[in-house]
Amino acid sequence: MWQQQQFDCIVVGGGPAGTTFAQVASRGGLSVLVLEKDRDIGMPVRCGEAISDKGLRYFHDPDPRWIQSTIDRIKLTAPNGTEIEFDLNDKGYILDRRIFDYDLAHMAVQEGAMVVTKAYVNGLIIDNDMVCGVKGNYLNTPFEIQAKFVIGADGVESRVGRWGGLRTQVKLKDMESGIQKTVSGIEVQSNKFEFYLSREWAPGGYLWVFPKGNKSANIGLAISGYYAKEGKSAQKFLDEFLQWKYPECSVLTTVVGGIPVDKTLKCMVADGLMLVGDAAHTVNPMTGGGISSGMMSGMAAAETAIELLHNKKEPTRANLNSYEKKWRKLRGKKHEKYYRIKEAIFRFDDDDLNRIADGIAAVKEEDRSLRKLFSIAVSKKPTLLIDVMRLFTGL
Amino acid sequence: MIQIEGNKCDFCGCCVGVCPVDCIEVMESIIEIDDEICIDCDLCVFICPIDVLSSVATATI
Ligand SMILES: Cc1cc2nc3c(=O)[nH]c(=O)nc-3n(C[C@H](O)[C@H](O)[C@H](O)COP(=O)(O)OP(=O)(O)OC[C@H]3O[C@@H](n4cnc5c(N)ncnc54)[C@H](O)[C@@H]3O)c2cc1C
Ligand code: SF4
Ligand code: SF4
């Protein structure tokens, strides 16, 4: 029984970040236990399920069973209804995360990891300031298990980090309050990501329509906590949109969730503990996409765990530092830039967005180079230049 | 004090992520708030996407 065993690593949370850690670490010869509190891996799907081809291929060749639609075009709708369309440089997919997450867990098990569902972790075992195991509850029976490392992959809640002394709380303005309905019976083009940008539709965030084939789509939105404070919830915004745009649709699933659109935590590790994925705030703060970046952090943490154990080094904070370094090189630095872009866009009001969209719409699609789009954006909103300067100088 | 409305909660953990004192616990299909630790900052009320939480005044003696 797993309750009586000892493991090199215990992973709290069976999302893509946790199972990627488990797969890579097990392949590297470590014994890994994944504890997931829900009864199913991959359910409920709290996600728009969009991923780029590049982001997915970094880890796996796309399996047709994971792909609900392939996307090669984007449509943006401005507050005044102006629509802008363009082709994507890199194609994207809408995944079926029920199958994708399940397969990731399955791959980890095939490499030797053990996955347990309905296992709720409610505390850490700490000895001399070193995290060396977890406490929890499985089917109403308490358990305590020791391990050389604990991996906090517990998503937006990130309590494992807090118990280990890390500051994982997300500031209200950097938390997006999200809701999504999977709807059926609507006319939607199966090769297009659609985004709606306006403070009226989704203040401090955006609204998305991601096609899933067969006249169905994930329609969702996220609003910044900064605006949520004004008292109108994400649900009210989405219900209004659906009533206006798709009054006849059937809603097959509703999910909600928080998206930490923050810079990655300054400190992702403590003695005996590493945080990965949403728990470490690895989401791309500009787009809110966190599947591939979460997997990337899981992989980087696993490589560090393998190096330390093979070299018989203690999992001290100083030694785990190499995970933080790897992450910063892979994505962390970029995410700091994306965070500053997010902050700049955040200041756009609907008039700014309309002016920029109208300017871009006047240019023929084949002439829409990035340079051209940028110069239009700046001419329509000169202060954008200041924001962009800030972005590059880091002010 | 924070009141949890009936069985409306979706157990997404978004409120847990913003709580400054870690007094919200979300298990598979149970949510609990420890009133002893709660500091009534209302951040959880603002961020909940589906209006599950509300703040109620507690009587002072
Ligand atoms: C509405 C919405 C739309 C999104 N759309 C997209 C999108 O289109 N594309 C994209 O790339 N990203 C999207 N994201 C973000 C993406 O879903 C996350 O970044 C991604 O799932 C993070 O993976 P993770 O493994 O870090 O965490 P999660 O997938 O959240 O997994 C964490 C797991 O830990 C478990 N857990 C938590 N606490 C405990 C505990 N104490 N004991 C045991 N288990 C525990 C949870 O049950 C959960 O299964 C969206 C998010 C939301 C909310
Ligand atoms: S009111 Fe503040 S302290 Fe109390 S549960 Fe909500 S977020 Fe936590
Ligand atoms: S944010 Fe709302 S739906 Fe999500 S766990 Fe908290 S109370 Fe429940």
Side-chain angles (χ1 to χ4, degrees), chain A residues 13 15-17 35-37 46-50 97 119 121 153-154 259 277-278 289-291:
Chain A
L35 299 173
E36 166 56 51
K37 70 176 172 178
R46 303 188 186 285
C47 185
E49 305 177 285
R97 274 195 64 183
V121 172
D154 52 335
I259 312 159
D278 282 17
I291 306 171

mmCIF file with all atom_site columns, all heavy atoms in Angstrom, chain A residues 13 15-17 35-37 46-50 97 119 121 153-154 259 277-278 289-291, ligand 1:
data_model
loop_
_atom_site.group_PDB
_atom_site.id
_atom_site.type_symbol
_atom_site.label_atom_id
_atom_site.label_alt_id
_atom_site.label_comp_id
_atom_site.label_asym_id
_atom_site.label_entity_id
_atom_site.label_seq_id
_atom_site.pdbx_PDB_ins_code
_atom_site.Cartn_x
_atom_site.Cartn_y
_atom_site.Cartn_z
_atom_site.occupancy
_atom_site.B_iso_or_equiv
_atom_site.pdbx_formal_charge
_atom_site.auth_seq_id
_atom_site.auth_comp_id
_atom_site.auth_asym_id
_atom_site.auth_atom_id
_atom_site.pdbx_PDB_model_num
ATOM   1   N N   . GLY A 1 13  ? -1.164  17.157 -6.392  1.00 0.00 ? 13  GLY A N   1
ATOM   2   C CA  . GLY A 1 13  ? -1.918  17.710 -7.518  1.00 0.00 ? 13  GLY A CA  1
ATOM   3   C C   . GLY A 1 13  ? -1.632  16.969 -8.807  1.00 0.00 ? 13  GLY A C   1
ATOM   4   O O   . GLY A 1 13  ? -0.475  16.825 -9.206  1.00 0.00 ? 13  GLY A O   1
ATOM   5   N N   . GLY A 1 15  ? -2.634  17.742 -11.998 1.00 0.00 ? 15  GLY A N   1
ATOM   6   C CA  . GLY A 1 15  ? -2.816  18.510 -13.236 1.00 0.00 ? 15  GLY A CA  1
ATOM   7   C C   . GLY A 1 15  ? -1.605  18.299 -14.142 1.00 0.00 ? 15  GLY A C   1
ATOM   8   O O   . GLY A 1 15  ? -0.696  17.521 -13.813 1.00 0.00 ? 15  GLY A O   1
ATOM   9   N N   . PRO A 1 16  ? -1.559  19.003 -15.286 1.00 0.00 ? 16  PRO A N   1
ATOM   10  C CA  . PRO A 1 16  ? -0.453  18.795 -16.232 1.00 0.00 ? 16  PRO A CA  1
ATOM   11  C C   . PRO A 1 16  ? 0.933   19.083 -15.647 1.00 0.00 ? 16  PRO A C   1
ATOM   12  O O   . PRO A 1 16  ? 1.910   18.408 -16.016 1.00 0.00 ? 16  PRO A O   1
ATOM   13  C CB  . PRO A 1 16  ? -0.762  19.758 -17.379 1.00 0.00 ? 16  PRO A CB  1
ATOM   14  C CG  . PRO A 1 16  ? -1.978  20.501 -17.020 1.00 0.00 ? 16  PRO A CG  1
ATOM   15  C CD  . PRO A 1 16  ? -2.594  19.909 -15.812 1.00 0.00 ? 16  PRO A CD  1
ATOM   16  N N   . ALA A 1 17  ? 1.049   20.050 -14.735 1.00 0.00 ? 17  ALA A N   1
ATOM   17  C CA  . ALA A 1 17  ? 2.369   20.354 -14.164 1.00 0.00 ? 17  ALA A CA  1
ATOM   18  C C   . ALA A 1 17  ? 2.831   19.183 -13.283 1.00 0.00 ? 17  ALA A C   1
ATOM   19  O O   . ALA A 1 17  ? 3.979   18.732 -13.377 1.00 0.00 ? 17  ALA A O   1
ATOM   20  C CB  . ALA A 1 17  ? 2.317   21.650 -13.358 1.00 0.00 ? 17  ALA A CB  1
ATOM   21  N N   . LEU A 1 35  ? -0.556  12.630 -5.545  1.00 0.00 ? 35  LEU A N   1
ATOM   22  C CA  . LEU A 1 35  ? -1.800  12.610 -4.768  1.00 0.00 ? 35  LEU A CA  1
ATOM   23  C C   . LEU A 1 35  ? -2.749  13.667 -5.327  1.00 0.00 ? 35  LEU A C   1
ATOM   24  O O   . LEU A 1 35  ? -2.407  14.851 -5.378  1.00 0.00 ? 35  LEU A O   1
ATOM   25  C CB  . LEU A 1 35  ? -1.494  12.901 -3.293  1.00 0.00 ? 35  LEU A CB  1
ATOM   26  C CG  . LEU A 1 35  ? -0.560  11.889 -2.618  1.00 0.00 ? 35  LEU A CG  1
ATOM   27  C CD1 . LEU A 1 35  ? -0.189  12.353 -1.217  1.00 0.00 ? 35  LEU A CD1 1
ATOM   28  C CD2 . LEU A 1 35  ? -1.192  10.499 -2.576  1.00 0.00 ? 35  LEU A CD2 1
ATOM   29  N N   . GLU A 1 36  ? -3.925  13.240 -5.747  1.00 0.00 ? 36  GLU A N   1
ATOM   30  C CA  . GLU A 1 36  ? -4.919  14.154 -6.337  1.00 0.00 ? 36  GLU A CA  1
ATOM   31  C C   . GLU A 1 36  ? -6.194  14.077 -5.503  1.00 0.00 ? 36  GLU A C   1
ATOM   32  O O   . GLU A 1 36  ? -6.696  12.995 -5.234  1.00 0.00 ? 36  GLU A O   1
ATOM   33  C CB  . GLU A 1 36  ? -5.191  13.754 -7.804  1.00 0.00 ? 36  GLU A CB  1
ATOM   34  C CG  . GLU A 1 36  ? -6.408  14.385 -8.441  1.00 0.00 ? 36  GLU A CG  1
ATOM   35  C CD  . GLU A 1 36  ? -6.418  15.911 -8.398  1.00 0.00 ? 36  GLU A CD  1
ATOM   36  O OE1 . GLU A 1 36  ? -5.428  16.533 -8.793  1.00 0.00 ? 36  GLU A OE1 1
ATOM   37  O OE2 . GLU A 1 36  ? -7.451  16.468 -7.946  1.00 0.00 ? 36  GLU A OE2 1
ATOM   38  N N   . LYS A 1 37  ? -6.713  15.258 -5.124  1.00 0.00 ? 37  LYS A N   1
ATOM   39  C CA  . LYS A 1 37  ? -7.869  15.243 -4.219  1.00 0.00 ? 37  LYS A CA  1
ATOM   40  C C   . LYS A 1 37  ? -9.183  14.880 -4.915  1.00 0.00 ? 37  LYS A C   1
ATOM   41  O O   . LYS A 1 37  ? -10.098 14.367 -4.281  1.00 0.00 ? 37  LYS A O   1
ATOM   42  C CB  . LYS A 1 37  ? -8.001  16.582 -3.501  1.00 0.00 ? 37  LYS A CB  1
ATOM   43  C CG  . LYS A 1 37  ? -8.417  17.740 -4.376  1.00 0.00 ? 37  LYS A CG  1
ATOM   44  C CD  . LYS A 1 37  ? -8.602  18.996 -3.524  1.00 0.00 ? 37  LYS A CD  1
ATOM   45  C CE  . LYS A 1 37  ? -8.820  20.221 -4.378  1.00 0.00 ? 37  LYS A CE  1
ATOM   46  N NZ  . LYS A 1 37  ? -9.056  21.429 -3.595  1.00 0.00 ? 37  LYS A NZ  1
ATOM   47  N N   . ARG A 1 46  ? -11.250 22.847 -15.950 1.00 0.00 ? 46  ARG A N   1
ATOM   48  C CA  . ARG A 1 46  ? -11.353 24.285 -15.679 1.00 0.00 ? 46  ARG A CA  1
ATOM   49  C C   . ARG A 1 46  ? -10.434 25.008 -16.648 1.00 0.00 ? 46  ARG A C   1
ATOM   50  O O   . ARG A 1 46  ? -9.410  25.553 -16.263 1.00 0.00 ? 46  ARG A O   1
ATOM   51  C CB  . ARG A 1 46  ? -10.938 24.582 -14.242 1.00 0.00 ? 46  ARG A CB  1
ATOM   52  C CG  . ARG A 1 46  ? -11.735 23.815 -13.217 1.00 0.00 ? 46  ARG A CG  1
ATOM   53  C CD  . ARG A 1 46  ? -11.448 24.266 -11.812 1.00 0.00 ? 46  ARG A CD  1
ATOM   54  N NE  . ARG A 1 46  ? -12.125 23.408 -10.846 1.00 0.00 ? 46  ARG A NE  1
ATOM   55  C CZ  . ARG A 1 46  ? -13.423 23.431 -10.571 1.00 0.00 ? 46  ARG A CZ  1
ATOM   56  N NH1 . ARG A 1 46  ? -14.207 24.292 -11.183 1.00 0.00 ? 46  ARG A NH1 1
ATOM   57  N NH2 . ARG A 1 46  ? -13.952 22.606 -9.698  1.00 0.00 ? 46  ARG A NH2 1
ATOM   58  N N   . CYS A 1 47  ? -10.784 25.000 -17.948 1.00 0.00 ? 47  CYS A N   1
ATOM   59  C CA  . CYS A 1 47  ? -9.825  25.472 -18.938 1.00 0.00 ? 47  CYS A CA  1
ATOM   60  C C   . CYS A 1 47  ? -10.491 25.665 -20.298 1.00 0.00 ? 47  CYS A C   1
ATOM   61  O O   . CYS A 1 47  ? -11.386 24.906 -20.665 1.00 0.00 ? 47  CYS A O   1
ATOM   62  C CB  . CYS A 1 47  ? -8.730  24.415 -19.070 1.00 0.00 ? 47  CYS A CB  1
ATOM   63  S SG  . CYS A 1 47  ? -7.373  24.896 -20.138 1.00 0.00 ? 47  CYS A SG  1
ATOM   64  N N   . GLY A 1 48  ? -10.017 26.695 -21.057 1.00 0.00 ? 48  GLY A N   1
ATOM   65  C CA  . GLY A 1 48  ? -10.483 26.905 -22.428 1.00 0.00 ? 48  GLY A CA  1
ATOM   66  C C   . GLY A 1 48  ? -9.907  25.881 -23.390 1.00 0.00 ? 48  GLY A C   1
ATOM   67  O O   . GLY A 1 48  ? -10.336 25.769 -24.522 1.00 0.00 ? 48  GLY A O   1
ATOM   68  N N   . GLU A 1 49  ? -8.854  25.170 -22.934 1.00 0.00 ? 49  GLU A N   1
ATOM   69  C CA  . GLU A 1 49  ? -8.242  24.031 -23.645 1.00 0.00 ? 49  GLU A CA  1
ATOM   70  C C   . GLU A 1 49  ? -7.446  24.424 -24.876 1.00 0.00 ? 49  GLU A C   1
ATOM   71  O O   . GLU A 1 49  ? -7.167  23.597 -25.737 1.00 0.00 ? 49  GLU A O   1
ATOM   72  C CB  . GLU A 1 49  ? -9.297  22.966 -23.993 1.00 0.00 ? 49  GLU A CB  1
ATOM   73  C CG  . GLU A 1 49  ? -10.085 22.492 -22.775 1.00 0.00 ? 49  GLU A CG  1
ATOM   74  C CD  . GLU A 1 49  ? -11.169 21.506 -23.105 1.00 0.00 ? 49  GLU A CD  1
ATOM   75  O OE1 . GLU A 1 49  ? -12.216 21.913 -23.652 1.00 0.00 ? 49  GLU A OE1 1
ATOM   76  O OE2 . GLU A 1 49  ? -10.988 20.313 -22.805 1.00 0.00 ? 49  GLU A OE2 1
ATOM   77  N N   . ALA A 1 50  ? -7.055  25.710 -24.974 1.00 0.00 ? 50  ALA A N   1
ATOM   78  C CA  . ALA A 1 50  ? -6.267  26.152 -26.131 1.00 0.00 ? 50  ALA A CA  1
ATOM   79  C C   . ALA A 1 50  ? -4.781  25.957 -25.858 1.00 0.00 ? 50  ALA A C   1
ATOM   80  O O   . ALA A 1 50  ? -4.292  26.235 -24.762 1.00 0.00 ? 50  ALA A O   1
ATOM   81  C CB  . ALA A 1 50  ? -6.547  27.627 -26.401 1.00 0.00 ? 50  ALA A CB  1
ATOM   82  N N   . ARG A 1 97  ? -9.211  18.172 -22.708 1.00 0.00 ? 97  ARG A N   1
ATOM   83  C CA  . ARG A 1 97  ? -8.332  17.969 -21.549 1.00 0.00 ? 97  ARG A CA  1
ATOM   84  C C   . ARG A 1 97  ? -8.749  16.792 -20.683 1.00 0.00 ? 97  ARG A C   1
ATOM   85  O O   . ARG A 1 97  ? -7.950  16.278 -19.911 1.00 0.00 ? 97  ARG A O   1
ATOM   86  C CB  . ARG A 1 97  ? -8.209  19.244 -20.708 1.00 0.00 ? 97  ARG A CB  1
ATOM   87  C CG  . ARG A 1 97  ? -7.120  20.153 -21.243 1.00 0.00 ? 97  ARG A CG  1
ATOM   88  C CD  . ARG A 1 97  ? -6.723  21.225 -20.276 1.00 0.00 ? 97  ARG A CD  1
ATOM   89  N NE  . ARG A 1 97  ? -6.127  20.720 -19.047 1.00 0.00 ? 97  ARG A NE  1
ATOM   90  C CZ  . ARG A 1 97  ? -5.770  21.496 -18.046 1.00 0.00 ? 97  ARG A CZ  1
ATOM   91  N NH1 . ARG A 1 97  ? -5.953  22.800 -18.119 1.00 0.00 ? 97  ARG A NH1 1
ATOM   92  N NH2 . ARG A 1 97  ? -5.242  20.980 -16.944 1.00 0.00 ? 97  ARG A NH2 1
ATOM   93  N N   . ALA A 1 119 ? -7.232  11.575 -2.812  1.00 0.00 ? 119 ALA A N   1
ATOM   94  C CA  . ALA A 1 119 ? -6.255  11.675 -1.715  1.00 0.00 ? 119 ALA A CA  1
ATOM   95  C C   . ALA A 1 119 ? -6.012  13.157 -1.448  1.00 0.00 ? 119 ALA A C   1
ATOM   96  O O   . ALA A 1 119 ? -5.366  13.840 -2.248  1.00 0.00 ? 119 ALA A O   1
ATOM   97  C CB  . ALA A 1 119 ? -4.957  10.976 -2.106  1.00 0.00 ? 119 ALA A CB  1
ATOM   98  N N   . VAL A 1 121 ? -4.453  16.264 0.502   1.00 0.00 ? 121 VAL A N   1
ATOM   99  C CA  . VAL A 1 121 ? -3.306  16.623 1.352   1.00 0.00 ? 121 VAL A CA  1
ATOM   100 C C   . VAL A 1 121 ? -3.682  17.857 2.164   1.00 0.00 ? 121 VAL A C   1
ATOM   101 O O   . VAL A 1 121 ? -4.164  18.852 1.618   1.00 0.00 ? 121 VAL A O   1
ATOM   102 C CB  . VAL A 1 121 ? -2.057  16.896 0.472   1.00 0.00 ? 121 VAL A CB  1
ATOM   103 C CG1 . VAL A 1 121 ? -0.920  17.462 1.308   1.00 0.00 ? 121 VAL A CG1 1
ATOM   104 C CG2 . VAL A 1 121 ? -1.627  15.615 -0.222  1.00 0.00 ? 121 VAL A CG2 1
ATOM   105 N N   . ALA A 1 153 ? 2.044   21.003 -6.668  1.00 0.00 ? 153 ALA A N   1
ATOM   106 C CA  . ALA A 1 153 ? 1.475   21.197 -8.011  1.00 0.00 ? 153 ALA A CA  1
ATOM   107 C C   . ALA A 1 153 ? -0.028  21.360 -7.830  1.00 0.00 ? 153 ALA A C   1
ATOM   108 O O   . ALA A 1 153 ? -0.819  20.860 -8.612  1.00 0.00 ? 153 ALA A O   1
ATOM   109 C CB  . ALA A 1 153 ? 1.795   19.984 -8.891  1.00 0.00 ? 153 ALA A CB  1
ATOM   110 N N   . ASP A 1 154 ? -0.386  22.074 -6.748  1.00 0.00 ? 154 ASP A N   1
ATOM   111 C CA  . ASP A 1 154 ? -1.789  22.124 -6.336  1.00 0.00 ? 154 ASP A CA  1
ATOM   112 C C   . ASP A 1 154 ? -2.546  23.304 -6.931  1.00 0.00 ? 154 ASP A C   1
ATOM   113 O O   . ASP A 1 154 ? -3.547  23.755 -6.381  1.00 0.00 ? 154 ASP A O   1
ATOM   114 C CB  . ASP A 1 154 ? -1.915  22.085 -4.803  1.00 0.00 ? 154 ASP A CB  1
ATOM   115 C CG  . ASP A 1 154 ? -1.053  23.121 -4.086  1.00 0.00 ? 154 ASP A CG  1
ATOM   116 O OD1 . ASP A 1 154 ? -0.032  23.553 -4.670  1.00 0.00 ? 154 ASP A OD1 1
ATOM   117 O OD2 . ASP A 1 154 ? -1.397  23.498 -2.959  1.00 0.00 ? 154 ASP A OD2 1
ATOM   118 N N   . ILE A 1 259 ? -7.415  32.325 -12.493 1.00 0.00 ? 259 ILE A N   1
ATOM   119 C CA  . ILE A 1 259 ? -6.182  32.264 -13.288 1.00 0.00 ? 259 ILE A CA  1
ATOM   120 C C   . ILE A 1 259 ? -5.206  33.296 -12.718 1.00 0.00 ? 259 ILE A C   1
ATOM   121 O O   . ILE A 1 259 ? -5.470  34.503 -12.807 1.00 0.00 ? 259 ILE A O   1
ATOM   122 C CB  . ILE A 1 259 ? -6.465  32.569 -14.775 1.00 0.00 ? 259 ILE A CB  1
ATOM   123 C CG1 . ILE A 1 259 ? -7.674  31.750 -15.260 1.00 0.00 ? 259 ILE A CG1 1
ATOM   124 C CG2 . ILE A 1 259 ? -5.235  32.291 -15.633 1.00 0.00 ? 259 ILE A CG2 1
ATOM   125 C CD1 . ILE A 1 259 ? -8.340  32.298 -16.489 1.00 0.00 ? 259 ILE A CD1 1
ATOM   126 N N   . GLY A 1 277 ? 3.866   24.852 -11.926 1.00 0.00 ? 277 GLY A N   1
ATOM   127 C CA  . GLY A 1 277 ? 2.569   25.185 -12.532 1.00 0.00 ? 277 GLY A CA  1
ATOM   128 C C   . GLY A 1 277 ? 1.904   26.388 -11.873 1.00 0.00 ? 277 GLY A C   1
ATOM   129 O O   . GLY A 1 277 ? 2.573   27.260 -11.310 1.00 0.00 ? 277 GLY A O   1
ATOM   130 N N   . ASP A 1 278 ? 0.580   26.414 -11.927 1.00 0.00 ? 278 ASP A N   1
ATOM   131 C CA  . ASP A 1 278 ? -0.169  27.545 -11.360 1.00 0.00 ? 278 ASP A CA  1
ATOM   132 C C   . ASP A 1 278 ? 0.253   27.830 -9.918  1.00 0.00 ? 278 ASP A C   1
ATOM   133 O O   . ASP A 1 278 ? 0.220   28.974 -9.468  1.00 0.00 ? 278 ASP A O   1
ATOM   134 C CB  . ASP A 1 278 ? -1.685  27.242 -11.372 1.00 0.00 ? 278 ASP A CB  1
ATOM   135 C CG  . ASP A 1 278 ? -2.313  27.436 -12.747 1.00 0.00 ? 278 ASP A CG  1
ATOM   136 O OD1 . ASP A 1 278 ? -1.561  27.489 -13.742 1.00 0.00 ? 278 ASP A OD1 1
ATOM   137 O OD2 . ASP A 1 278 ? -3.555  27.515 -12.822 1.00 0.00 ? 278 ASP A OD2 1
ATOM   138 N N   . GLY A 1 289 ? -2.678  31.625 -20.575 1.00 0.00 ? 289 GLY A N   1
ATOM   139 C CA  . GLY A 1 289 ? -2.416  30.219 -20.919 1.00 0.00 ? 289 GLY A CA  1
ATOM   140 C C   . GLY A 1 289 ? -1.428  29.616 -19.932 1.00 0.00 ? 289 GLY A C   1
ATOM   141 O O   . GLY A 1 289 ? -0.361  30.185 -19.687 1.00 0.00 ? 289 GLY A O   1
ATOM   142 N N   . GLY A 1 290 ? -1.775  28.456 -19.378 1.00 0.00 ? 290 GLY A N   1
ATOM   143 C CA  . GLY A 1 290 ? -0.892  27.886 -18.355 1.00 0.00 ? 290 GLY A CA  1
ATOM   144 C C   . GLY A 1 290 ? -0.614  26.414 -18.526 1.00 0.00 ? 290 GLY A C   1
ATOM   145 O O   . GLY A 1 290 ? 0.069   25.813 -17.695 1.00 0.00 ? 290 GLY A O   1
ATOM   146 N N   . ILE A 1 291 ? -1.140  25.789 -19.624 1.00 0.00 ? 291 ILE A N   1
ATOM   147 C CA  . ILE A 1 291 ? -0.941  24.341 -19.765 1.00 0.00 ? 291 ILE A CA  1
ATOM   148 C C   . ILE A 1 291 ? 0.532   24.073 -20.073 1.00 0.00 ? 291 ILE A C   1
ATOM   149 O O   . ILE A 1 291 ? 1.223   23.378 -19.324 1.00 0.00 ? 291 ILE A O   1
ATOM   150 C CB  . ILE A 1 291 ? -1.816  23.739 -20.903 1.00 0.00 ? 291 ILE A CB  1
ATOM   151 C CG1 . ILE A 1 291 ? -3.286  24.091 -20.721 1.00 0.00 ? 291 ILE A CG1 1
ATOM   152 C CG2 . ILE A 1 291 ? -1.636  22.228 -20.958 1.00 0.00 ? 291 ILE A CG2 1
ATOM   153 C CD1 . ILE A 1 291 ? -4.169  23.728 -21.917 1.00 0.00 ? 291 ILE A CD1 1
HETATM 154 C C1  . LIG C 2 .   ? -11.540 29.363 -17.032 1.00 0.00 ? 1   LIG C C1  1
HETATM 155 C C2  . LIG C 2 .   ? -10.126 29.017 -17.377 1.00 0.00 ? 1   LIG C C2  1
HETATM 156 C C3  . LIG C 2 .   ? -9.717  28.943 -18.714 1.00 0.00 ? 1   LIG C C3  1
HETATM 157 C C4  . LIG C 2 .   ? -8.390  28.608 -19.031 1.00 0.00 ? 1   LIG C C4  1
HETATM 158 N N1  . LIG C 2 .   ? -8.053  28.491 -20.351 1.00 0.00 ? 1   LIG C N1  1
HETATM 159 C C5  . LIG C 2 .   ? -6.794  28.098 -20.683 1.00 0.00 ? 1   LIG C C5  1
HETATM 160 C C6  . LIG C 2 .   ? -6.445  27.851 -22.039 1.00 0.00 ? 1   LIG C C6  1
HETATM 161 O O1  . LIG C 2 .   ? -7.274  27.946 -22.956 1.00 0.00 ? 1   LIG C O1  1
HETATM 162 N N2  . LIG C 2 .   ? -5.168  27.481 -22.322 1.00 0.00 ? 1   LIG C N2  1
HETATM 163 C C7  . LIG C 2 .   ? -4.224  27.319 -21.341 1.00 0.00 ? 1   LIG C C7  1
HETATM 164 O O2  . LIG C 2 .   ? -3.057  26.991 -21.660 1.00 0.00 ? 1   LIG C O2  1
HETATM 165 N N3  . LIG C 2 .   ? -4.534  27.522 -20.041 1.00 0.00 ? 1   LIG C N3  1
HETATM 166 C C8  . LIG C 2 .   ? -5.798  27.897 -19.677 1.00 0.00 ? 1   LIG C C8  1
HETATM 167 N N4  . LIG C 2 .   ? -6.124  28.064 -18.357 1.00 0.00 ? 1   LIG C N4  1
HETATM 168 C C9  . LIG C 2 .   ? -5.088  27.848 -17.337 1.00 0.00 ? 1   LIG C C9  1
HETATM 169 C C10 . LIG C 2 .   ? -4.818  26.349 -17.149 1.00 0.00 ? 1   LIG C C10 1
HETATM 170 O O3  . LIG C 2 .   ? -6.022  25.658 -16.940 1.00 0.00 ? 1   LIG C O3  1
HETATM 171 C C11 . LIG C 2 .   ? -3.892  26.124 -15.939 1.00 0.00 ? 1   LIG C C11 1
HETATM 172 O O4  . LIG C 2 .   ? -2.800  27.006 -16.041 1.00 0.00 ? 1   LIG C O4  1
HETATM 173 C C12 . LIG C 2 .   ? -3.376  24.687 -15.866 1.00 0.00 ? 1   LIG C C12 1
HETATM 174 O O5  . LIG C 2 .   ? -4.408  23.771 -15.648 1.00 0.00 ? 1   LIG C O5  1
HETATM 175 C C13 . LIG C 2 .   ? -2.368  24.601 -14.725 1.00 0.00 ? 1   LIG C C13 1
HETATM 176 O O6  . LIG C 2 .   ? -1.941  23.303 -14.516 1.00 0.00 ? 1   LIG C O6  1
HETATM 177 P P1  . LIG C 2 .   ? -1.459  22.846 -13.067 1.00 0.00 ? 1   LIG C P1  1
HETATM 178 O O7  . LIG C 2 .   ? -1.063  21.425 -13.184 1.00 0.00 ? 1   LIG C O7  1
HETATM 179 O O8  . LIG C 2 .   ? -0.484  23.836 -12.534 1.00 0.00 ? 1   LIG C O8  1
HETATM 180 O O9  . LIG C 2 .   ? -2.736  23.006 -12.115 1.00 0.00 ? 1   LIG C O9  1
HETATM 181 P P2  . LIG C 2 .   ? -4.179  22.340 -12.201 1.00 0.00 ? 1   LIG C P2  1
HETATM 182 O O10 . LIG C 2 .   ? -4.473  21.851 -13.553 1.00 0.00 ? 1   LIG C O10 1
HETATM 183 O O11 . LIG C 2 .   ? -5.095  23.319 -11.575 1.00 0.00 ? 1   LIG C O11 1
HETATM 184 O O12 . LIG C 2 .   ? -4.025  21.077 -11.238 1.00 0.00 ? 1   LIG C O12 1
HETATM 185 C C14 . LIG C 2 .   ? -3.898  21.204 -9.834  1.00 0.00 ? 1   LIG C C14 1
HETATM 186 C C15 . LIG C 2 .   ? -4.470  19.947 -9.215  1.00 0.00 ? 1   LIG C C15 1
HETATM 187 O O13 . LIG C 2 .   ? -4.147  19.905 -7.826  1.00 0.00 ? 1   LIG C O13 1
HETATM 188 C C16 . LIG C 2 .   ? -5.230  19.342 -7.127  1.00 0.00 ? 1   LIG C C16 1
HETATM 189 N N5  . LIG C 2 .   ? -5.106  19.764 -5.715  1.00 0.00 ? 1   LIG C N5  1
HETATM 190 C C17 . LIG C 2 .   ? -5.206  21.033 -5.219  1.00 0.00 ? 1   LIG C C17 1
HETATM 191 N N6  . LIG C 2 .   ? -5.041  21.021 -3.882  1.00 0.00 ? 1   LIG C N6  1
HETATM 192 C C18 . LIG C 2 .   ? -4.831  19.726 -3.518  1.00 0.00 ? 1   LIG C C18 1
HETATM 193 C C19 . LIG C 2 .   ? -4.612  19.086 -2.258  1.00 0.00 ? 1   LIG C C19 1
HETATM 194 N N7  . LIG C 2 .   ? -4.563  19.791 -1.119  1.00 0.00 ? 1   LIG C N7  1
HETATM 195 N N8  . LIG C 2 .   ? -4.442  17.736 -2.232  1.00 0.00 ? 1   LIG C N8  1
HETATM 196 C C20 . LIG C 2 .   ? -4.475  17.014 -3.407  1.00 0.00 ? 1   LIG C C20 1
HETATM 197 N N9  . LIG C 2 .   ? -4.702  17.566 -4.623  1.00 0.00 ? 1   LIG C N9  1
HETATM 198 C C21 . LIG C 2 .   ? -4.869  18.918 -4.682  1.00 0.00 ? 1   LIG C C21 1
HETATM 199 C C22 . LIG C 2 .   ? -6.442  19.927 -7.837  1.00 0.00 ? 1   LIG C C22 1
HETATM 200 O O14 . LIG C 2 .   ? -7.597  19.139 -7.614  1.00 0.00 ? 1   LIG C O14 1
HETATM 201 C C23 . LIG C 2 .   ? -5.982  19.886 -9.294  1.00 0.00 ? 1   LIG C C23 1
HETATM 202 O O15 . LIG C 2 .   ? -6.365  18.704 -9.942  1.00 0.00 ? 1   LIG C O15 1
HETATM 203 C C24 . LIG C 2 .   ? -7.442  28.388 -17.993 1.00 0.00 ? 1   LIG C C24 1
HETATM 204 C C25 . LIG C 2 .   ? -7.851  28.452 -16.661 1.00 0.00 ? 1   LIG C C25 1
HETATM 205 C C26 . LIG C 2 .   ? -9.171  28.749 -16.348 1.00 0.00 ? 1   LIG C C26 1
HETATM 206 C C27 . LIG C 2 .   ? -9.595  28.788 -14.905 1.00 0.00 ? 1   LIG C C27 1
#
